[in-house]
Amino acid sequence: IEDINFASYKQLKQILFDGAGLPSLKKTKITGGDASDEEVLLKLLDLEGGGKYPPWAFEVIRGTLQIRESVKERGYVESLLKSARMSHDGRVHSTFKIGPVTWRLASENVNVQQLSSSVKQLFRAPNGWKFCRHDHQALEVRGLADQSGDPVLIGRVRRGMDLHWVHAAGFLGWGYDDTLSTAKEGDNKKIRFAFKTLFFAGGYGGGVKTIAVVLRKELHDAGVGTDIVLHILSERGFDPGEDPYVTLATEWLKWLRK
């Protein structure tokens, strides 16, 4: 096929499943055909390497994901332009609030927090004004500690401990104080990010499947490969099974609930 229509699910099926021989991981609810949504494509990327499937198939998957992200970004830009045209001064005025359950800072009309860095670069401050970036450090963790009333979590927050590294070191059986200095370096930085994602994905009641889906997407978007998930499981001696993300989510919840 010389020209690929990445918006055509039929053509993607012919290329990825019929042509490249990739396995069908899920069926669509309406037609019962091979699904090729983001969750499926990210799982298929885990199969790269080993020579079983042609390398070009994974390039098609990456291209599909990139194009879909571009289409999503275009939608964001269009909503921004619409909001600006409807405002009194031709600028975007988003509304911010703190979520009562998650303690996350949220915005609406327009949700500027969903914008990618490339779209955010389109913004310009009015003359005489500047954009400021403010980060409420560990706001969500402190909110969870307050709402849960967990004395251990509250104590760690009050002592200023790195909660995400507490979880990473605890799960892996490493000493917190002995490894804290390396928590944001090399592979340990990626491991910390994985446990940060696990914590927030499961902190609001997410089950194994939800956590696994979120973890796979967040790590992919951050450029963190499946090798980090396999490394974490290997450190604990766990068999990764058919889906290492599901295995890690399962073991994480077991450990967290002890």
Side-chain angles (χ1 to χ4, degrees):
I1 301 175
E2 296 181 359
D3 297 320
I4 300 176
N5 179 2
F6 288 93
S8 170
Y9 287 93
K10 180 179 180 181
Q11 194 173 29
L12 281 177
K13 174 185 178 301
Q14 294 174 340
I15 295 171
L16 299 178
F17 303 114
D18 300 338
L22 290 171
S24 175
L25 303 180
K26 187 171 69 174
K27 299 294 184 180
T28 60
K29 293 181 179 180
I30 298 177
T31 65
D34 299 316
S36 55
D37 55 32
E38 182 180 50
E39 179 185 349
V40 168
L41 294 182
L42 289 175
K43 284 184 178 181
L44 290 174
L45 282 178
D46 294 340
L47 303 176
E48 188 173 13
K52 186 175 182 180
Y53 303 104
W56 56 260
F58 302 101
E59 293 303 316
V60 171
I61 292 175
R62 290 191 183 89
T64 302
L65 291 171
Q66 290 172 1
I67 289 177
R68 288 180 181 176
E69 186 63 28
S70 296
V71 171
K72 187 186 300 183
E73 288 187 353
R74 178 179 177 179
Y76 290 148
V77 172
E78 290 175 346
S79 66
L80 290 171
L81 293 174
K82 179 180 179 181
S83 176
R85 286 194 296 267
M86 295 176 65
S87 70
H88 67 282
D89 59 358
R91 304 191 69 86
V92 175
H93 297 273
S94 184
T95 302
F96 292 88
K97 60 183 180 180
I98 298 292
V101 177
T102 65
W103 283 70
R104 288 191 171 189
L105 184 66
S107 66
E108 57 187 10
N109 299 322
V110 178
N111 188 349
V112 295
Q113 291 178 293
Q114 286 187 332
L115 306 179
S116 66
S117 58
S118 59
V119 175
K120 289 178 181 178
Q121 290 176 3
L122 300 176
F123 283 82
R124 295 293 182 271
N127 292 332
W129 293 79
K130 292 184 178 180
F131 284 123
C132 292
R133 179 176 178 177
H134 184 68
D135 184 11
H136 292 277
Q137 185 175 8
L139 176 65
E140 294 161 291
V141 175
R142 287 185 276 126
L144 283 171
D146 180 71
Q147 289 187 336
S148 68
D150 184 341
V152 175
L153 185 57
I154 291 173
R156 288 170 175 170
V157 169
R158 287 177 175 173
R159 291 196 298 274
M161 299 179 73
D162 184 333
L163 266 296
H164 304 308
W165 192 248
V166 167
H167 294 143
F171 182 88
L172 295 169
W174 297 348
Y176 173 82
D177 293 326
D178 297 335
T179 58
L180 180 60
S181 62
T182 64
K184 296 184 179 180
E185 300 176 359
D187 283 349
N188 281 358
K189 181 178 181 180
K190 298 176 182 179
I191 290 173
R192 181 185 179 279
F193 180 75
F195 279 92
K196 178 181 179 179
T197 303
L198 286 167
F199 178 76
F200 285 126
Y204 306 120
V208 169
K209 182 178 179 180
T210 298
I211 294 174
V213 169
V214 172
L215 181 63
R216 176 178 273 109
K217 175 171 173 50
E218 291 295 321
L219 294 188
H220 173 268
D221 290 349
V224 179
T226 307
D227 57 311
I228 287 297
V229 176
L230 295 173
H231 175 58
I232 293 172
L233 293 173
S234 176
E235 282 288 317
R236 286 294 307 275
F238 293 131
D239 183 342
E242 294 184 4
D243 189 332
Y245 292 88
V246 170
T247 302
L248 180 54
T250 301
E251 297 301 334
W252 159 253
L253 287 179
K254 288 180 182 178
W255 178 83
L256 195 63
R257 292 166 178 168
K258 286 182 180 179

